[in-house]
Amino acid sequence: MARAITRGGIVTTVRAAVAAIEPWYDWGKISVERMESLRPNKTVTDGEVRFFELQWLGVHIAFQIGRTPKGIR
């Protein structure tokens, strides 16, 4: 038996499809450490940077923009 296609059925299907492919994103500030501080006998210095992340259709893109304090010598 054929299924009748109604306007309400189409709208419901389209809303479900859009919800399934809606991208996930996040942004804000995050604290990061200098890579140099991972070495033995180095003082840990960290700074605050801005970040943006986007995940959509299996692709994950992330940016971090900012500066950390100068290393202690």
Side-chain angles (χ1 to χ4, degrees):
M1 180 171 190
R3 193 179 210 185
I5 298 176
T6 63
R7 186 173 190 280
I10 293 171
V11 170
T12 302
T13 304
V14 169
R15 284 184 180 163
V18 168
I21 63 171
E22 183 180 3
W24 176 89
Y25 55 90
D26 190 16
W27 69 87
K29 292 181 181 179
I30 190 171
S31 181
V32 296
E33 294 180 359
R34 292 179 60 85
M35 293 297 290
E36 173 180 281
S37 66
L38 298 175
R39 296 183 186 158
N41 301 325
K42 290 286 185 176
T43 304
V44 176
T45 55
D46 60 348
E48 200 171 70
V49 299
R50 295 203 172 267
F51 75 95
F52 176 77
E53 291 185 67
L54 172 69
Q55 293 181 21
W56 191 50
L57 298 176
V59 177
H60 183 190
I61 300 171
F63 295 97
Q64 291 183 350
I65 302 170
R67 298 183 67 186
T68 56
K70 291 184 177 183
I72 299 170
R73 296 187 186 247

